[in-house]
Amino acid sequence: MKAANSTLSSYGTTVFEVMSRLAIEHGAINLGQGFPDTDGPLEVRQKAADALLDAPNQYPPMMGLPELRQAVAAHNKRFYDLDVDWQSEVMVTSGATEALADCLFALIEPGDEVVLIEPLYDCYLPIVRRAGGVPKLVRVEPPDWTLPRVALEEAFTERTKLILLNNPMNPAAKVFDREELAFIADLVIRHDAYAVCDEVYEHILFDGRQHIPLMTLPGMRERCLRIGSAGKTFSLTGWKVGYITAQQDLLAPVAKSHQFVTFTTPPNLQRAVAYGLGMEQSYFDGLAAEMQAKRDRIASGLADIGFGIIDCEGTYFITADIRPLGFCGDDVDFCRHITLEAGVTTVPVSAFYQNEAIDHYVRFCFCKRDEVLDEAVARLKKAF
């Protein structure tokens, strides 16, 4: 038999799948994968249910239902004072991962360089490489996740096509501040590049932080593709509804990619997300407050056990240093150990780096019910 595509075939099973299988096998509490264990707002789900029964269920427009595209444009104006033409500058996708794939397949020519900042969400490198891109990796590292400006500047060359920026950053839980974003924007402009901005955690920031889209900085409106996700904003990750905002000429080739990937997204879910994006400010404030409380809950419990807690500025994830526990082994060994011995599963941070990985940090997902978090902490406390 002839071989399959060598790029995708070279990737093994993801660490999330490996650890999740192990958790199931041993009946462990799974704090590895990033999804809530309760569903999002009832009124949003009710809108989806009503639309499924009452509205047409045939192919919606390729770019997305007008009401959702209008809602995305209004959301951009409401939260970031971005003036967006819903007809030519917004497109709906089947999740943020499809949005990323559409952008990368549409913009990358074989041999183009793509700047990425580690630690990386697991789909980034496979898509970039399958599109023919050449990854140029720069890393931020715990405990302070400082942006290495010299290394980032050196990563940009005349062959750079784009930077793929995740902000707020999964899995580092880092939120880039305005000064850091300005530095990145200057590099993008200087090298006549684009920025694909994965901003799915835009409403899950803590301690009073405010999300700043790279698109809002001077000179970036025409160079950025801004990706959002209903899955994270409404705690409905299984819905897979994403959206891209970009200047018309930049969005046009991305729409061609979307046309040949999924073409469209379930219309009832689009209608429900359109409703959700228009909800009162109290909902969005409440989402951040709820997740911050969960962050504080698990951070306190892990600190009491002896973990070294790394600052978490946003997202669903908190990083912990295992060295203070005196564990003899690396982060992969530790994750297997606590799954088998404590009945708690997490993921090693080294899995999000490519080379010379940092091997003494693990990542806990805290977007779970309080009683689940408390039980996980109790099991770990008993084990240590």
Side-chain angles (χ1 to χ4, degrees), residues 73-321:
H75 175 272
N76 277 294
K77 181 64 176 177
R78 172 184 172 187
F79 288 96
Y80 312 117
D81 199 28
L82 281 167
D83 292 309
V84 174
D85 178 3
W86 71 268
Q87 292 182 294
S88 63
E89 296 186 321
V90 177
M91 185 175 74
V92 179
T93 61
S94 292
T97 302
E98 193 229 323
L100 286 162
D102 291 344
C103 292
L104 297 173
F105 289 147
L107 296 178
I108 295 173
E109 292 279 12
D112 285 343
E113 292 180 354
V114 177
V115 177
L116 305 106
I117 302 176
E118 296 181 292
L120 295 173
Y121 182 59
D122 62 344
C123 79
Y124 288 2
L125 275 178
I127 299 174
V128 167
R129 287 175 170 150
R130 189 64 185 93
V134 178
K136 303 288 285 187
L137 300 176
V138 177
R139 56 171 55 190
V140 297
E141 299 180 356
D144 53 9
W145 309 112
T146 299
L147 183 68
R149 300 193 181 202
V150 173
L152 186 61
E153 188 167 14
E154 291 174 348
F156 276 79
T157 73
E158 69 277 3
R159 295 182 297 277
T160 301
K161 176 60 73 70
L162 60 91
I163 182 172
L164 177 47
L165 180 67
N166 184 201
N167 182 39
M169 191 178 188
N170 169 16
K174 172 183 174 64
V175 176
F176 289 85
D177 62 30
R178 186 174 294 277
E179 187 179 352
E180 291 172 319
L181 293 172
F183 183 80
I184 293 170
D186 177 68
L187 290 173
V188 171
I189 294 169
R190 245 196 292 161
H191 293 274
D192 192 24
Y194 300 110
V196 176
C197 302
D198 178 350
E199 302 181 7
V200 300
Y201 290 100
E202 62 185 320
H203 291 296
I204 307 177
L205 284 74
F206 308 138
D207 306 312
R209 293 179 177 86
Q210 298 296 315
H211 177 58
I212 305 170
L214 187 64
M215 182 180 280
T216 62
L217 271 64
M220 297 306 292
R221 178 68 171 83
E222 63 273 21
R223 294 184 178 274
C224 286
L225 300 106
R226 196 175 97 76
I227 297 171
S229 168
K232 300 301 189 295
T233 298
F234 302 109
S235 301
L236 295 164
T237 58
W239 280 21
K240 301 298 291 181
V241 179
Y243 21 88
I244 305 172
T245 301
Q247 190 266 345
Q248 181 177 359
D249 292 341
L250 189 52
L251 187 61
V254 178
K256 297 289 181 64
S257 180
H258 169 65
Q259 176 177 298
F260 299 121
V261 176
T262 65
F263 180 72
T264 192
T265 298
N268 68 312
L269 302 183
Q270 291 194 52
R271 288 189 166 87
V273 173
Y275 169 84
L277 288 175
M279 289 199 299
E280 296 293 327
Q281 184 65 37
S282 58
Y283 168 75
F284 298 95
D285 293 342
L287 173 65
E290 178 186 8
M291 290 301 166
Q292 180 173 321
K294 291 180 181 296
R295 176 204 66 174
D296 294 345
R297 192 182 197 96
I298 195 169
S300 176
L302 293 175
D304 286 345
I305 294 168
F307 286 89
I309 304 302
I310 309 303
D311 190 25
C312 167
E313 299 176 343
T315 77
Y316 288 161
F317 310 107
I318 191 165
T319 297
D321 189 346

